[in-house]
Amino acid sequence: GENVEQHPSTLSVQEGDSAVIKCTYSDSASNYFPWYKQELGKRPQLIIDIRSNVGEKKDQRIAVTLNKTAKHFSLHITETQPEDSAVYFCAASKGSNYQLIWGAGTKLIIKP
Amino acid sequence: DSGVTQTPKHLITATGQRVTLRCSPRSGDLSVYWYQQSLDQGLQFLIQYYNGEERAKGNILERFSAQQFPDLHSELNLSSLELGDSALYFCASSADQGTYEQYFGPGTRLTVT
């Protein structure tokens, strides 16, 4: 079945710098890739998602890129701010009749 | 506020006991998911229901069971509790599975002593 690997498990960056989190998936039929953010003590929330018919999607300071050939997708956060500190989860799905498979999470630490 | 409610917020119980966690999905959502999150761990998918029927099972122990009722609320039953069952249990709902956004509830913090 589908497997999603997420790296790194912890990422520490200076405030104002960029952060990149990468996920790889095993099933080439996967076509939906969301990213969820979980702040300390709170619930996970969807921050951005991408479908396989596009290669990149942006929303203000966050962007997601997808490389279908290499079967990986990445979350990019620019001009990081203290409120970006959280755990980020990637996930993948083959479609509306299939489960969402989750990555293990990346703890992002923004250093002042 | 995601529109998903979970009760209770906190639960403290002893080993060997049985507890029931309750979840009400967002209005109109037919899918309910249950996740377990231990301290500093990822989201472990337990089980999913869609419109009253079990749709998918993840790493759910035999001591755990769930159901979704006709009004679409769901309950997760945990029995013969062990210390290792202490965790945050999230419920999420979505219109359907796969490509639909999952809306998470605030979670139930279970402590087994």
Side-chain angles (χ1 to χ4, degrees), chain B residues 40-57:
Chain B
D40 288 339
Q41 298 292 311
L43 292 167
Q44 298 297 319
F45 167 67
L46 297 178
I47 197 165
Q48 181 212 355
Y49 281 82
Y50 178 78
N51 203 21
E53 293 189 3
E54 182 183 305
R55 181 68 76 87
K57 256 185 178 178

Side-chain angles (χ1 to χ4, degrees), chain A residues 1 9 49 57 63 75 86 96 98 104 106:
Chain A
S9 57
D49 57 13
K57 185 176 179 180
L75 178 71
S96 59
Y98 295 89
T106 295

Side-chain angles (χ1 to χ4, degrees), chain A residues 31-32 34 36 38 41-46 49 51 87 89 93-100 102-105 107, chain B residues 1-4 33 35 37 40-43 45 48 55-56 88 90 96-106:
Chain A
N31 58 19
Y32 175 66
Y36 283 75
Q38 185 180 23
K42 298 194 175 179
R43 72 193 81 188
Q45 289 185 285
L46 178 72
D49 57 13
R51 296 176 192 269
V87 177
F89 293 98
S93 172
K94 292 193 287 187
S96 59
N97 291 322
Y98 295 89
Q99 277 302 304
L100 200 58
W102 295 82
K107 184 174 184 178
Chain B
D1 186 359
S2 66
V4 179
Y33 307 78
Y35 293 90
Q37 187 173 44
D40 288 339
Q41 298 292 311
L43 292 167
F45 167 67
Q48 181 212 355
R55 181 68 76 87
L88 189 55
F90 283 108
D96 203 328
Q97 64 179 352
T99 61
Y100 292 85
E101 178 176 355
Q102 292 187 21
Y103 295 86
F104 284 78

Side-chain angles (χ1 to χ4, degrees), chain A residues 35-95:
Chain A
W35 286 89
Y36 283 75
K37 175 184 180 182
Q38 185 180 23
E39 295 178 18
L40 188 63
K42 298 194 175 179
R43 72 193 81 188
Q45 289 185 285
L46 178 72
I47 55 170
I48 195 167
D49 57 13
I50 192 168
R51 296 176 192 269
S52 60
N53 58 342
V54 297
E56 184 176 7
K57 185 176 179 180
K58 287 184 180 179
D59 183 4
Q60 299 182 345
R61 294 187 298 107
I62 62 172
V64 56
T65 58
L66 172 64
N67 183 326
K68 287 187 290 183
T69 303
K71 290 190 285 187
H72 67 71
F73 57 109
S74 299
L75 178 71
H76 304 255
I77 305 174
T78 60
E79 300 173 4
T80 53
Q81 299 171 5
E83 56 263 35
D84 296 327
S85 293
V87 177
Y88 293 81
F89 293 98
C90 66
S93 172
K94 292 193 287 187

